[in-house]
Amino acid sequence: MKFNIPDGARHILQTLNGAGHEAYLVGGCVRDLLRGVEPHDWDICTSARPEETERCFAGRRIVETGLKHGTVTVLVEGEPYEITTYRTEGPYSDSRRPDYVRFVPDLEEDLARRDFTMNAIAMDPQGDLRDPFGGAKDISSGLIRCVGRPDRRFQEDGLRVMRALRFAAVFGYAVEGRTAQAVHENRAVLDRVAAERINAELRKLLVGKGAGDVLRQYPDVFCQFWPQLGPLVALEQNNPWHCWGGWEHTIRALEAAPADVTLRLAMLLHDIGKPACKSTDEAGIDHFCGHSAVGAQLTDRMLRALKFDNRTRERVVLLVERHDVQIPDREHSIRKWLGRLGPEAFFQLLEVKRADGMGQDLEKVRCRLDELDEIGAKAEQILAERQCLTLKDLAVDGRDVIAAGVKPGPEVGRILDGALGQVLNGEAPNERSALLHWIARSQNRERK
């Protein structure tokens, strides 16, 4: 089988081979080539020691990225290629990096230290594979399997628990039985993993095509770093709008949302406040009054705990807080919400509401979903017509209000807000003369 290996990587392999050293492509780039996906990074392993690698590429720009662990980065035409000496590893005291590495002459020893079989395949310049653990077969079967004992792999680096689930979600693969069992049994190792590292894996996982299946099969793993999910996983919803419990509704809503990190996070957390707000009436119907506000507070704490950036956190909190708000299908109401939220957040909210509906009884919510389409179309038209939505769009400003006889101060802002309200409600056109007339009349009423 012919593989498209870039000239830079091929040059490095041939240079090392020409100097009498073994050299192979390894890891994610080989995995992606076998999957038919263009790799983003090209990693190379070699029998050459770091100092021998540097001698082979004397004259080229070299970055000593990790000499202690045997890694040298060589730049070929501006592209970086990491070259790492065959090695085995000592214990992982910090559950992230080995305490020490030992360079070895044998490729198979190096491959044996890697996390999953699909990442433990080497390829020579001709495209021939060295695959002692059956990684190519697992790729063709769509399986994620640990190299060696799964318990040992996960105890070495706790992030591998999340990496296994991220690969399952992104590739749509199944986790092999013993590996899956070890994921459940070793989930507590995530307690020793930095929040930022979990964050990076979770972002990729949530936008994967198999994210819903992973959430269904491994809720215990997600509860390990976000224990607030536990009550939602167990939540029953005896309500006419809902035909699933809290967790299955959440998953179906997430699956219905576009593959965008902000939207997927909003769907994962949109009902996080429901367990705390649940009440049951005399007819046995469950209600969740106030769950959006409670959910927004929980969401803020949960995203802070995983070190999400402020922009993402604030937007997700906003969407959770507003996900249940009713937006009437009337032009002035749409203008108000566009002005209040801004166009980006407004359309994200429509996506959240649509996905939320897709996770409910479709027969009951079909009209709601149709209405969301109509609201979206009207909002697009409002924007296309550049209608007034905020104070900066208003045909008058503070100087006009002061010129009308109002003293500088808070009263100026109050009057401008009133003028904006007139325009948003369709009670006055966004024209300077009309608004000046309204300001004068409002001032006369105040004097009386």
Side-chain angles (χ1 to χ4, degrees):
M1 188 175 182
K2 189 77 171 174
F3 296 103
N4 186 21
I5 300 173
D7 292 341
R10 196 177 295 278
H11 167 74
I12 288 174
L13 295 173
Q14 291 171 344
T15 300
L16 288 165
N17 289 162
H21 306 293
E22 293 180 7
Y24 296 89
L25 296 172
V26 72
C29 63
V30 178
R31 177 197 69 221
D32 289 344
L33 286 172
L34 294 177
R35 293 178 55 240
V37 175
E38 184 177 352
H40 296 295
D41 301 301
W42 297 87
D43 294 332
I44 294 163
C45 63
T46 180
S47 60
R49 297 295 183 101
E51 63 274 14
E52 293 173 320
T53 297
E54 290 188 332
R55 282 199 295 271
C56 285
F57 297 99
R60 286 198 175 274
R61 186 179 172 195
I62 294 172
V63 182
E64 295 180 341
T65 44
L67 286 182
K68 178 182 174 184
H69 294 97
T71 300
V72 175
T73 297
V74 175
L75 278 79
V76 179
E77 296 182 356
E79 290 296 318
Y81 295 89
E82 281 196 357
I83 307 170
T84 303
T85 303
Y86 299 160
R87 71 191 195 197
T88 59
E89 299 172 339
Y92 284 64
S93 297
D94 65 356
S95 295
R96 179 175 184 180
R97 297 186 182 89
D99 296 345
Y100 61 85
V101 301
R102 180 170 61 87
F103 299 141
V104 295
D106 182 58
L107 171 64
E108 189 164 326
E109 283 190 79
D110 180 85
L111 296 177
R113 70 178 172 82
R114 297 173 184 267
D115 51 7
F116 307 112
T117 59
M118 64 181 181
N119 296 330
I121 310 169
M123 179 185 289
D124 68 17
Q126 291 72 45
D128 295 326
L129 301 180
R130 293 283 297 275
D131 183 17
F133 304 105
K137 181 179 178 182
D138 283 344
I139 289 172
S140 64
S141 301
L143 271 184
I144 297 168
R145 183 194 309 269
C146 281
V147 173
R149 288 175 40 219
D151 283 342
R152 179 178 178 182
R153 293 284 87 90
F154 293 136
Q155 288 295 326
E156 286 170 343
D157 183 355
L159 190 67
R160 288 172 174 168
V161 167
M162 286 297 290
R163 278 171 60 81
L165 301 191
R166 187 253 292 183
F167 286 133
V170 173
F171 298 164
Y173 285 8
V175 183
E176 175 270 335
R178 288 177 59 242
T179 301
Q181 181 180 350
V183 166
H184 290 294
E185 292 175 350
N186 290 275
R187 64 186 184 277
V189 297
L190 288 171
D191 295 344
R192 306 198 297 269
V193 177
E196 293 85 351
R197 299 180 76 209
I198 295 174
N199 179 322
E201 294 297 326
L202 181 64
R203 284 174 173 271
K204 297 172 187 174
L205 187 162
L206 289 178
V207 298
K209 58 186 176 182
D213 288 337
V214 169
L215 288 165
R216 282 187 185 90
Q217 295 170 50
Y218 300 93
D220 53 333
V221 175
F222 297 90
C223 290
Q224 189 67 38
F225 56 85
W226 271 346
Q228 298 92 335
L229 289 173
L232 182 62
V233 172
L235 180 68
E236 294 183 3
Q237 299 190 106
N238 183 20
N239 184 286
W241 295 98
H242 288 283
C243 41
W244 293 287
W247 190 234
E248 182 61 22
H249 161 71
T250 292
I251 292 169
R252 286 175 180 262
L254 180 143
E255 290 174 323
D260 170 85
V261 171
T262 298
L263 293 175
R264 290 285 176 91
L265 278 167
M267 299 327 299
L268 179 63
L269 303 176
H270 77 285
D271 277 350
I272 194 69
K274 273 189 171 181
C277 297
K278 181 177 178 178
S279 63
T280 306
D281 65 22
E282 294 177 356
I285 304 299
D286 294 331
H287 302 278
F288 306 95
C289 297
H291 78 276
S292 297
V294 173
Q297 294 173 358
L298 284 170
T299 295
D300 187 71
R301 290 202 291 271
M302 293 165 73
L303 296 181
R304 285 180 187 275
L306 277 198
K307 311 294 184 184
F308 274 88
D309 60 280
N310 289 340
R311 187 178 189 281
T312 300
R313 176 179 54 79
E314 290 168 3
R315 180 57 55 83
V316 173
V317 169
L318 171 69
L319 294 172
V320 170
E321 184 177 32
R322 299 291 193 180
H323 81 272
D324 233 12
V325 73
Q326 295 302 309
I327 302 177
D329 185 12
R330 294 191 291 274
E331 194 167 310
H332 73 272
S333 297
I334 296 169
R335 276 199 301 266
K336 278 185 180 179
W337 281 104
L338 273 170
R340 186 177 299 173
L341 299 176
E344 182 184 63
F346 177 87
F347 286 106
Q348 285 179 325
L349 181 60
L350 292 189
E351 292 287 2
V352 165
K353 294 176 77 63
R354 181 176 290 107
D356 190 12
M358 294 294 289
Q360 299 177 27
D361 185 330
L362 286 180
E363 289 303 314
K364 290 186 179 297
V365 301
R366 198 172 302 280
C367 289
R368 281 189 189 176
L369 297 177
D370 291 341
E371 187 177 60
L372 288 173
D373 291 337
E374 294 172 8
I375 290 171
K378 288 179 181 176
E380 294 281 8
Q381 183 65 31
I382 288 168
L383 292 173
E385 293 173 355
R386 298 182 176 275
Q387 294 186 29
C388 177
L389 300 174
T390 63
L391 286 175
K392 65 180 177 60
D393 303 322
L394 210 56
V396 295
D397 58 21
R399 288 169 296 186
D400 294 311
V401 177
I402 293 170
V406 179
K407 292 182 180 179
E411 181 67 10
V412 173
R414 188 187 68 77
I415 291 173
L416 286 174
D417 286 337
L420 178 61
Q422 291 288 306
V423 174
L424 291 177
N425 288 328
E427 296 170 2
N430 187 31
E431 297 171 359
R432 189 167 184 273
S433 58
L435 293 176
L436 288 176
H437 180 65
W438 178 85
I439 291 171
R441 282 195 297 115
S442 64
Q443 287 301 104
N444 287 334
R445 285 195 298 269
E446 295 252 344
R447 292 189 189 102
K448 290 178 182 179

